[in-house]
Amino acid sequence: MLCLLAARHVSARILPSMATRVRFAPSPTGFLHIGGVRTALMNWLYAQQTGGAFLVRIENTDTSREVEAAAERIFDDLRWLGLDWDEEPRFQLDRVDAHREAAERLVAEDKAYVDEGAIRLRMPGEGETQWTDLVKGTLRFANADVKQALRPRDDPSAPGDMVIVRADGRPTYNFASPHDDVLDGITHVIRGDDHVSNTPKQLAVMRALGAEPPQYAHLPMVFDDSGKKLSKRRGAASLQELEARRNEPLVYLEEFRAVGYLQDALINHLVLLGWSPGAEETILPLDEILARFRLEDVNPSPARFDYKRLDWMNGVYLRALAPEEFADRLVAYLRQEGYEWDEARVRETAPLVQEKIARLGEYPAFAGFFFQSAEDVPAAAAELDGSVIAAAIEALEPLDEFSPEAIEGALRPLPERLRLKPRDVFRPLYTAVCGRPTGPSLFHSLPLLGKEESLARLTRAGEHAATASADVRVQE
RNA sequence: GCCCCCAUCGACUAGCGGCCCAGGUCGCGGCCCUUUCAAGGCCGUAGCGCGGGUUCGAAUCCCGCUGGGGGCACCA
């Protein structure tokens, strides 16, 4: 038992010395899916750990402006996450000629044949195809079953040989992909679970090509909250757009970016989907992940994407940032999201919100009142309390120095004086100043607004409170 | 329909035959702290899908069932 354990770890260390090459191969359809991001991450981690190369291959079927744009977005997403790749990204379509020639060679060797203009690979009808998957262990398929699956359901007399080049000359995915892997010298194919049943077909291609097959690692799927596969849907790339339909779960990396998650938190959360360091730790900075991640330890069962846990984790990372770093991130984030707010003011207010928000995207709603004038701050009458506000005005009015300490000295005694709970005093005040019952420390926010503006807001809110209660009385 | 995979608290997981009347984290509940809200502290909640084996002993090994998922094209 002991030596078995040892062997497992030894093999993981020895294999890498043979210059591993892995690849992430997204298709350029729309946005980069978060499940794909995890696949990319695990490929990248493996390459980093083994000193190998991480390649990106765009599996495009055509070359259009859309493909170009989608590829560019994928590169941008990977760069944003810090998953930098080696060598120039490949485009599958750039190698159609090579694929076609390889297929023709197979025909010449009688390993494939032409059928109604298409080229089909002769598939073995007996025996089985098996491989040792790095995460799933030994996987085996009866060759007869593989063939059977290749026949259309309504045509049991079909040959059951895989088309590798279509009649129109375009190579098929299950031929192009393994051939690309051969051409790129890929040693480890790390990809989603949904490719398991493609693997025997691709191994058949490898075999026919006379190539040494790579190691395979099939990562379990990522499900959404409801336990279904994270589905593709219309992507949204801006905070406003996402807020408009906030009940939809995020699925694309751009969406996670748009609501203000940090790279480190996202990576930390993603790597914990299907893998655990074994020890009782949850917060793992990248260097820690790099030191401890083992592809062999990824567990084979599917995982749900836990949004609440991500929020918690993002908050942890946000709070751990040095204040200047936090401000930098916030400024960059707001700029990216199109807020043209005064940078100096954002920086001033940043320390007041750092401990309060879990995502950078919460800032506009939480601290937007700093960028509004008294008239624009919404007056939520229900939360207001005229007498409390009047007392606050009275306490603040005489202050010469409008400092946090002075304000605290003036407001802190209010609950006791009014014989109210602190909560019943401060919620109305927050509402008056921030437009909602919660916000960053009043003592620190008011000096930033200035005495005049602060009193203006309180006064205005006081009037609202008065008319509101008058309305109520009239109705009664 | 056929093939393949998976199965520990609500979620992510630790567990590799005795150290487990199952541990950690999120969530949820309570209490404390508190200028609102958070954050923080403390306490609590809750799980080995079912049935058979194997074994002195099983969450851990084997078989079956059930449940979930993935895949079955001249799509990628």
Side-chain angles (χ1 to χ4, degrees):
Chain A
M1 179 44 60
L2 254 177
C3 44
L4 258 180
L5 277 175
R8 188 174 165 194
H9 285 220
V10 168
S11 70
R13 281 198 183 107
I14 288 178
L15 286 169
S17 62
M18 329 193 266
T20 63
R21 290 169 70 79
V22 300
R23 98 278 127 107
F24 174 56
S27 50
T29 53
F31 298 75
L32 190 53
H33 195 274
I34 197 72
V37 174
R38 188 183 63 143
T39 302
L41 171 63
M42 291 190 175
N43 270 284
W44 181 83
L45 285 172
Y46 195 72
Q48 293 295 308
Q49 293 183 320
T50 57
F54 171 61
L55 310 188
V56 174
R57 184 165 70 225
I58 303 295
E59 308 221 297
N60 55 327
T61 30
D62 66 296
T63 312
S64 60
R65 198 155 305 124
E66 289 80 58
V67 166
E68 219 171 281
E72 210 35 69
R73 275 210 305 258
I74 289 169
F75 299 150
D76 185 53
D77 278 343
L78 292 175
R79 267 191 295 259
W80 179 78
L81 257 191
L83 306 185
D84 37 79
W85 55 91
D86 302 291
E87 306 178 15
E88 276 299 298
R90 280 101 165 112
F91 285 80
Q92 186 161 89
L93 210 61
D94 291 349
R95 290 215 272 235
V96 276
D97 291 339
H99 297 323
R100 221 154 10 211
E101 281 162 27
E104 276 154 18
R105 222 175 306 133
L106 293 180
V107 173
E109 293 168 8
D110 198 37
K111 288 173 177 165
Y113 60 94
V114 177
D115 173 36
E116 293 181 9
I119 298 178
R120 287 183 187 270
L121 182 70
R122 292 187 200 283
M123 303 293 284
E126 292 162 9
E128 63 173 25
T129 298
Q130 64 148 296
W131 73 95
T132 303
D133 196 278
L134 258 25
V135 347
K136 293 189 175 288
T138 302
L139 259 24
R140 53 184 80 222
F141 285 78
N143 289 148
D145 289 334
V146 176
K147 271 191 101 138
Q148 185 54 42
L150 248 11
R151 285 188 265 260
R153 284 240 231 143
D154 57 355
D155 184 10
S157 63
D161 289 322
M162 175 169 64
V163 170
I164 57 177
V165 178
R166 298 181 183 84
D168 66 8
R170 290 150 54 226
T172 59
Y173 167 77
N174 274 319
F175 180 63
S177 181
H179 189 219
D180 272 330
D181 288 336
V182 171
L183 295 176
D184 287 331
I186 299 303
T187 59
H188 299 257
V189 171
I190 304 166
R191 64 199 341 182
D193 219 350
D194 47 343
H195 284 290
V196 168
S197 57
N198 282 328
T199 308
K201 300 174 203 167
Q202 298 181 184
L203 280 169
V205 170
M206 297 272 186
R207 213 180 300 124
L209 254 17
E212 177 75 18
Q215 300 257 26
Y216 288 94
H218 287 97
L219 306 173
M221 303 268 87
V222 177
F223 296 152
D224 69 12
D225 268 345
S226 60
K228 294 186 206 125
K229 184 180 172 183
L230 274 177
S231 57
K232 297 186 176 175
R233 56 159 179 72
R234 195 159 60 98
S238 79
L239 185 60
Q240 282 89 345
E241 219 179 305
L242 285 163
E243 278 178 345
R245 41 199 173 107
R246 91 183 49 206
N247 41 6
E248 288 183 35
L250 310 182
V251 291
Y252 298 109
L253 184 59
E254 292 190 36
E255 298 172 336
F256 288 88
R257 282 222 249 173
V259 298
Y261 288 107
L262 298 181
Q263 293 93 148
D264 289 5
L266 221 32
I267 286 176
N268 194 157
H269 182 254
L270 245 19
V271 83
L272 255 21
L273 253 37
W275 176 79
S276 122
E280 302 184 336
E281 292 152 82
T282 307
I283 299 296
L284 297 163
L286 190 55
D287 55 344
E288 201 68 22
I289 293 171
L290 277 167
R292 310 227 236 146
F293 179 77
R294 305 217 77 86
L295 195 53
E296 295 80 357
D297 291 340
V298 170
N299 74 24
S301 57
R304 283 179 199 219
F305 195 97
D306 186 340
Y307 293 89
K308 283 190 169 151
R309 197 193 215 214
L310 206 216
D311 276 351
W312 164 76
M313 189 170 282
N314 202 247
V316 171
Y317 275 86
L318 237 28
R319 276 173 255 126
L321 253 26
E324 320 80 65
E325 173 74 7
F326 176 77
D328 289 345
R329 302 278 198 135
L330 186 57
V331 166
Y333 168 78
L334 292 172
R335 190 174 300 139
Q336 173 203 307
E337 288 304 309
Y339 288 91
E340 291 175 353
W341 287 352
D342 181 61
E343 180 175 333
R345 173 128 282 213
V346 171
R347 287 182 184 280
E348 275 179 330
T349 59
L352 303 188
V353 308
Q354 184 168 6
E355 299 227 329
K356 309 264 185 181
I357 62 179
R359 286 171 276 113
L360 295 176
E362 290 173 38
Y363 181 86
F366 194 75
F369 71 92
F370 280 119
F371 304 87
Q372 296 170 316
S373 60
E375 300 76 54
D376 296 328
V377 175
E383 283 282 352
L384 296 173
D385 180 322
S387 59
V388 165
I389 291 169
I393 293 172
E394 196 180 318
L396 292 172
E397 197 106 63
L399 296 183
D400 293 326
E401 193 197 344
F402 212 59
S403 67
E405 297 73 26
I407 292 166
E408 182 169 358
L411 296 184
R412 218 185 244 295
L414 280 187
E416 202 177 331
R417 193 182 307 155
L418 299 172
R419 296 173 187 281
L420 288 171
K421 282 187 275 188
R423 178 192 162 87
D424 293 326
V425 171
F426 285 96
R427 279 179 75 94
L429 297 185
Y430 275 90
T431 305
V433 174
C434 311
R436 44 191 241 168
T438 64
S441 165
L442 256 197
F443 305 156
H444 296 272
S445 299
L446 294 185
L448 292 180
L449 289 172
K451 184 174 177 180
E452 193 183 332
E453 175 69 16
S454 299
L455 289 174
R457 291 186 187 196
L458 286 166
T459 305
R460 211 177 117 79
E463 285 160 8
H464 271 276
T467 52
S469 54
D471 287 349
V472 170
R473 231 168 287 131
V474 167
Q475 279 175 14
E476 285 168 11

